[in-house]
Amino acid sequence: MSSAPRPVEAPTSAPTPRDNPRRWLGLVFIGLAQLMIVLDITVVNIALPSAQQDLGISAGDRQWVITAYTLAFGSLLLLGGRIADYTGRKRAFLIGLIGFACASALGGAATGFTLLLAARALQGAFAALLAPAALSLLSVSFTESRERAKAFGVYGAIAAGGSAIGLLLGGLLTEYLDWRWCLYVNVPIAVIATCGWSVLPADRRATARTRLDLPGALLATSGLVAVVYGCSKAESDGWDSPLVMALLTSGVCLLVGFALFEARSPRPLLPLRVITDRTRASAYLAVALAVIGMFGMFLFLTYYMQVVKDYSAVLTGVAFLPLTAGVLVSAGGIASRLLPRVPPRALVVPGLLLAAVGTGWLIPLEADTSYATGVLPAEIIVGLGMGLVMAPAMNYATHGVRPEDSGVASAMANTSQQIGASIGTALLNTIAIDASTDYLADRRHTPDVLREALVEGFSTAYSVATVILAAAALVIAVLMNAPRPAPVGEARRQPAPHMG
């Protein structure tokens, strides 16, 4: 696998992104779009109990309000990334924003479970078009190493910290307005983001007629659907369920078939050169493994604070703010300064180790542990670690790709995050449930014992998350062999679109 893709010379007459100062304003609008996508992964979680009661959703069906979004989002990302490459990233960005806003408005106005479910699936589908378009626009807007580091520091902070902001926003909207505003809030965000249309890089028309790789799209989409859905079912049915095993097995087989088909396709949906580059492959792996620990932390700390500590939804959201602060300081302040000076693994590996220390801090957590000594330090440490991981990983996930592959390379970064979150949440939740069940086996089920059983399950899951993050640091240290970034001016040799 090659570690340094050969730069392609750009025509000398083509203006570079650096010639247009409006690219920083474009970053604001791209960041808003990414924030909207990340928010919707968690903002609805806190609103779900109210929505369930209002719409008469059964306990067995309520998980689909979350799963419908993640299933559509995770399975359609590769297709969305390639559509963005074919139709133009700027055009795909606008279509994704408008579609996401309309789907959110539909969900907020839902009068029944079926309509809400359809709206959430539509949100996921448009997010699968919007997310890779946003990341690829960022990639082509900032090519000089120092500016690229700052831009991806901001983007990485949003990607890692947006979920925590979603928990706070969901609590505030649900408690003081209505659960429907957890969906309506996307409409004004999307409207503001569309105002950045004029400052985004202009689309280049394809010089030749292109055809979408429909067989590859079918294989990739069905394989990802099977994997994401299988992980979702594992949370409720267990990993040894025949249905879960069948879904995961068929998903893996479909994805293997997809890889074999793409190797022979003249116009592949995912050119294998995108993922066989050692640096980019390591970046995708780092994202997937890092979010296992982070999403596990969100899940269990939410239950710990609301069920064990009896915090309100708003107070729970506020309690997550130190995690967001840690991400902002790390990604925007530390990683953005060091990215142009050090190899990426010099940031990603310490970041994963810091995240492992943070989840490890939560292992001895007890039901009566104070927030200040138990949760707060862990949040800050994990936040600092995740900022060091996400900023360089998102940067190098799209670094050095051909212009025609930037959308699908961006989609791979988002797919890695989605698959990692799905597998990690299902795996850690199953481990926690099993540990809690074992704890209750020989004890009376009093309220205090039930709380202790929950904490015992969380502690066991945090132990596994710590091992995963530490092992991820070792793997990335070996695989990610990219050298120190090229000096200023090197990136000018890469093609860059005219800024519109």
Side-chain angles (χ1 to χ4, degrees), residues 123-398:
Q123 278 186 308
F126 282 109
L129 179 63
L130 178 58
L135 183 54
S136 59
L137 281 170
L138 185 67
S139 181
V140 300
S141 297
F142 297 90
T143 55
E144 189 272 314
S145 60
R146 291 184 182 276
E147 293 188 344
R148 185 178 174 92
K150 292 178 183 178
F152 275 89
V154 172
Y155 191 90
I158 293 172
S163 297
I165 297 174
L167 293 172
L168 172 60
L169 186 62
L172 290 170
L173 293 173
T174 302
E175 188 159 328
Y176 295 112
L177 290 174
D178 186 78
W179 68 267
R180 297 178 183 276
W181 278 96
C182 291
L183 293 165
Y184 285 144
V185 71
N186 294 314
V187 177
I189 296 177
V191 169
I192 295 172
T194 57
C195 295
W197 170 260
S198 63
V199 299
L200 296 176
D203 287 329
R204 285 183 172 179
R205 294 185 180 275
T207 56
R209 179 173 294 183
T210 55
R211 295 176 59 188
L212 190 64
D213 176 18
L214 292 179
L218 181 61
L219 285 169
T221 301
S222 56
L224 290 170
V225 164
V227 170
V228 175
Y229 182 45
C231 291
S232 298
K233 291 296 291 181
E235 292 188 64
S236 57
D237 298 358
W239 290 95
D240 56 351
S241 162
L243 175 60
V244 171
M245 294 178 68
L247 285 168
L248 294 178
T249 302
S250 61
V252 171
C253 291
L254 286 167
L255 292 176
V256 170
F258 167 70
L260 294 175
F261 181 83
E262 295 300 278
R264 300 182 178 182
S265 175
R267 290 178 294 272
L269 178 70
L270 174 63
L272 296 186
R273 60 179 175 268
V274 172
I275 57 175
T276 53
D277 176 87
R278 188 165 174 172
T279 298
R280 285 196 293 273
S282 300
Y284 299 144
L285 184 62
V287 170
L289 295 176
V291 296
I292 290 178
M294 186 161 188
F295 275 78
M297 185 176 190
F298 281 139
L299 175 67
F300 300 129
L301 280 185
T302 299
Y303 277 99
Y304 176 77
M305 288 189 278
Q306 291 196 36
V307 177
V308 178
K309 306 296 284 186
D310 200 27
Y311 289 3
S312 67
V314 174
L315 185 57
T316 299
V318 172
F320 273 111
L321 286 182
L323 175 64
T324 305
V327 172
L328 292 173
V329 169
S330 181
I334 300 174
S336 63
R337 292 178 181 273
L338 294 179
L339 259 175
R341 301 174 181 153
V342 300
R345 67 178 169 189
L347 296 175
V348 176
V349 172
L352 288 167
L353 291 175
L354 269 177
V357 171
T359 54
W361 190 287
L362 294 169
I363 294 174
L365 208 64
E366 300 288 347
D368 58 353
T369 303
S370 71
Y371 172 82
T373 60
V375 177
L376 178 60
E379 286 188 353
I380 294 173
I381 295 171
V382 170
L384 291 172
M386 290 301 298
L388 290 179
V389 173
M390 296 302 287
M394 287 296 184
N395 186 338
Y396 282 86
T398 57

Side-chain angles (χ1 to χ4, degrees), residues 420-462:
S422 298
I423 294 176
T425 301
L427 173 64
L428 295 179
N429 193 49
T430 303
I431 291 170
I433 291 173
D434 289 345
S436 296
T437 302
D438 291 342
Y439 184 87
L440 290 171
D442 300 322
R443 293 176 172 85
R444 293 182 58 192
H445 295 184
T446 64
D448 287 341
V449 170
L450 290 173
R451 282 195 295 270
E452 291 169 1
L454 277 176
V455 175
E456 177 68 21
F458 301 159
S459 177
T460 304
Y462 286 132

